[in-house]
Amino acid sequence: MRPFLSHPFDDDKLKEECGVFGVIGVTDAANFVALGMHALQHRGQEAGGIVAYDPETGFNNARRFGYVRDNFTKADVMATLPGSLAIGHVRYSTAGSKGATAIRDVQPFFGEFSMGGCAVAHNGNLTNATQLRKELIERGSIFQSSSDSECIIHLMARSIQKNIPERMKDALRAVEGAFSVIAMTRTKLIGVRDPLGVRPLVLGKVGDDGYALSSETCGLDIIGAEFVREIEPGEMVVISKGKVESSRPFGSAKSRFCIFEHVYFSRPDSILGGRSVYETRRQIGVELAKESPVEADLVCPVPDSGTPAAIGYSQQSGIPYAMGIIRNQYMGRTFIEPTEQIRNMGVRLKLNVNRALIRGKRVILVDDSVVRGTTSRKIKDMILDAGAAEVHFRIASPPTAWPCFYGVDTPEREKLLAATMSEDEMRDWIGVDSLKFISLDGLYRAAGEAKGRDKTCPQYCDACFSGEYPVAPSDQIAKGFAMKAAE
Ligand code: SF4
């Protein structure tokens, strides 16, 4: 039976679609990769896969649905993945109308070329994949999956370059959108980031001769790897025999890292762009308290992602911080395939109000974002049922009014609350005493940009807030998506 890994509470959050991890130069590399994937599990919970290379048995792979800890800790699975070079991928849990992933969609993908095999794991989303796929199929490519990432393997197959890193450069020059790619040949570990560096990728050192690539630094920490540096936007690294070779296959562009990684996607113990994610989130709370103060008795996070911003809000405002909502950490494992009746309990399956604390209090609730707003309404109901005197929402991101096309699952624009309502309308619809979002400038300040957002040349991707897409989503435009009109 496939474990039930998504529930109504999570359906009202944006979801990172993938995490990637690779290691070279260590004994039993797949074990290191499994640990790295476990640390990156927050980036994708539906499925995971590992490819390893061993000179005697060649390339081996294992792809499974479910959590890393339930699949890649088993001796019989890990015994099939020998070798000192391996890469892995975790994929997020699909929900609603998109349907479930098929095992053939689980990465890494593998291609056998005349110069040897290559496995590829991709975090991000290719915004011209529909068009590319159509062209590739018309020219004879036979796709095995429904994933945009498989285009990379087929584009590599069409390249006339003599080695795999050069073929990969050709392939990635043809794609548009966001990609942090980890790949491996029989002897090389390869890491590449798209020219804008939308999704993260970091390099670490393992022991004397080993290296690791990971979506986040928390993946390096778990295997005891030393953080070396971030792979830079537009950079390719090829690691072999204890050496790291760097090249710049793409034209230069100004970095547009995803600012939502700071707000929500990345783990708070990771370091992004030299900044602690936790500290940025705490600082968002500080900025929120300056921008949107309100008289109240308690500041409570919506756990877990609202916690650092709630701490910052409390520190700046002087209003006591308290755990007014408690999260059940074991929800995902407790109910396998829940009945409809249990599903309808919604947010109560995961969150419970600390009634003794809340009764009679004016409560500020700090959450990371509002997507559809359905969860915000339910949380408000729970807090009022517990006897709160007032409920004030403070949101650690600006209104999410536009979909993401760069590797984050977002509802269609019409389903985003902020796409159809003003802030006051959202406040009334959720039914709270006040609702305030951090401003875009405030978010940039919290992320270390003292002067706020550079309006002519923004320092980050913030398209889901601003509607200004750094790479035109050509597939979506072809399907009729209306970009924001120029101001
Ligand atoms: S649109 Fe939003 S979620 Fe997507 S990459 Fe840009 S900032 Fe990140």
Side-chain angles (χ1 to χ4, degrees):
M1 184 191 294
R2 280 176 57 180
F4 177 73
L5 298 172
S6 174
H7 40 72
F9 173 67
D10 282 345
D11 285 351
D12 198 21
K13 292 280 175 194
L14 299 187
K15 296 197 191 69
E16 180 63 71
E17 299 204 25
C18 303
V20 289
F21 193 89
V23 67
I24 185 169
V26 297
T27 306
D28 292 329
N31 285 324
F32 285 76
V33 170
L35 284 169
M37 289 161 63
H38 175 65
L40 298 174
Q41 191 82 81
H42 59 288
R43 301 181 75 86
Q45 293 102 50
E46 189 183 47
I50 297 178
V51 171
Y53 178 77
D54 171 63
E56 280 185 20
T57 61
F59 286 96
N60 295 287
N61 81 88
R63 296 190 271 181
R64 298 284 188 280
F65 288 114
Y67 291 125
V68 174
R69 68 182 177 217
D70 295 333
N71 290 306
F72 297 103
T73 50
K74 294 175 181 159
D76 58 336
V77 176
M78 300 315 288
T80 66
L81 299 166
S84 60
L85 172 53
I87 65 171
H89 185 271
V90 288
R91 183 182 163 89
Y92 106 109
S93 163
T94 51
S97 60
K98 290 194 171 177
T101 303
I103 197 74
R104 65 197 172 94
D105 289 329
V106 179
Q107 299 186 39
F109 292 128
F110 182 77
E112 193 72 66
F113 305 109
S114 57
M115 65 288 285
C118 177
V120 174
H122 168 217
N123 174 208
N125 186 55
L126 308 181
T127 51
N128 63 340
T130 306
Q131 182 58 29
L132 281 175
R133 191 182 178 96
K134 185 166 169 279
E135 288 166 13
L136 285 161
I137 289 172
E138 279 169 6
R139 286 193 275 148
S141 295
I142 299 171
F143 277 73
Q144 307 286 321
S145 75
S146 61
S147 167
D148 62 315
S149 313
E150 197 187 338
C151 288
I152 297 169
I153 289 280
H154 293 284
L155 288 165
M156 287 174 69
R158 301 239 151 216
S159 167
I160 55 168
Q161 299 293 339
K162 295 282 185 287
N163 65 55
I164 285 174
E166 291 303 318
R167 284 188 176 219
M168 180 163 283
K169 287 178 189 174
D170 272 0
L172 294 176
R173 284 187 196 110
V175 305
E176 296 169 3
F179 55 84
S180 280
V181 170
I182 292 182
M184 61 181 277
T185 68
R186 287 172 294 191
T187 56
K188 296 180 174 71
L189 178 65
I190 301 167
V192 200
R193 266 178 101 190
D194 66 73
L196 302 181
V198 175
R199 303 257 79 88
L201 190 63
V202 296
L203 173 69
K205 186 97 175 63
V206 198
D208 291 335
D209 296 321
Y211 280 95
L213 291 166
S214 173
S215 291
E216 293 179 39
T217 58
C218 64
L220 302 179
D221 295 337
I222 197 172
I223 62 163
E226 177 196 339
F227 171 71
V228 176
R229 64 179 177 87
E230 295 193 354
I231 305 303
E232 292 180 14
E235 182 183 12
M236 172 185 273
V237 291
V238 179
I239 308 168
S240 180
K241 296 183 181 151
K243 288 206 180 89
V244 181
E245 283 178 19
S246 168
S247 62
R248 307 272 169 175
F250 316 108
S252 64
K254 190 168 177 295
S255 165
R256 298 292 297 274
F257 184 63
C258 165
I259 202 161
F260 225 135
E261 292 275 357
H262 282 291
V263 174
Y264 176 66
F265 300 133
S266 290
R267 253 174 56 166
D269 50 338
S270 283
I271 309 286
L272 294 176
R275 284 181 70 81
S276 149
V277 174
Y278 174 86
E279 181 51 24
T280 298
R281 289 179 191 168
R282 193 192 66 81
Q283 204 58 42
I284 290 173
V286 170
E287 291 286 339
L288 253 177
K290 287 183 190 165
E291 288 184 352
S292 303
V294 60
E295 283 190 20
D297 304 306
L298 294 174
V299 179
C300 302
V302 176
D304 294 322
S305 47
T307 302
I311 291 170
Y313 195 102
S314 167
Q315 289 170 338
Q316 176 64 29
S317 65
I319 300 169
Y321 170 90
M323 296 292 287
I325 301 174
I326 307 297
R327 180 185 173 112
N328 183 342
Q329 304 290 351
Y330 302 99
M331 179 54 221
R333 288 173 71 79
T334 309
F335 293 94
I336 302 294
E337 301 287 357
T339 61
E340 198 56 33
Q341 190 186 8
I342 288 177
R343 271 175 180 271
N344 288 338
M345 292 177 187
V347 71
R348 286 173 201 277
L349 291 174
K350 198 157 200 172
L351 302 179
N352 195 23
V353 175
N354 189 348
R355 287 175 172 269
L357 188 78
I358 292 296
R359 192 170 301 125
K361 301 284 189 346
R362 298 168 298 171
V363 180
I364 300 171
L365 287 177
V366 182
D367 203 353
D368 56 84
S369 56
V370 172
V371 181
R372 292 183 170 92
T374 48
T375 300
S376 307
R377 271 174 96 149
K378 287 173 189 160
I379 291 171
K380 175 265 309 183
D381 287 344
M382 287 167 65
I383 294 279
L384 287 178
D385 285 351
E390 293 175 16
V391 185
H392 303 273
F393 259 110
R394 293 293 177 270
I395 309 299
S397 57
T400 306
W402 296 86
C404 174
F405 301 120
Y406 308 133
V408 171
D409 185 45
T410 342
E412 300 84 47
R413 182 143 202 258
E414 314 77 74
K415 293 191 179 143
L416 296 169
L417 199 64
T420 53
M421 291 186 195
S422 68
E423 196 168 289
D424 287 349
E425 287 169 335
M426 286 190 270
R427 177 201 61 208
D428 295 345
W429 186 83
I430 294 171
V432 284
D433 295 282
S434 74
L435 167 71
K436 295 288 176 190
F437 296 80
I438 194 167
S439 68
L440 254 182
D441 274 329
L443 177 56
Y444 272 68
R445 281 193 298 273
E449 300 292 339
K451 291 185 179 161
R453 182 178 192 259
D454 181 338
K455 288 179 183 53
T456 52
C457 193
Q459 304 91 322
Y460 287 92
C461 174
D462 55 25
C464 48
F465 310 127
S466 65
E468 295 172 25
Y469 290 88
V471 178
S474 48
D475 284 344
Q476 296 298 324
I477 292 169
K479 285 183 204 159
F481 174 72
M483 298 273 280
K484 183 178 172 182
E487 285 172 2

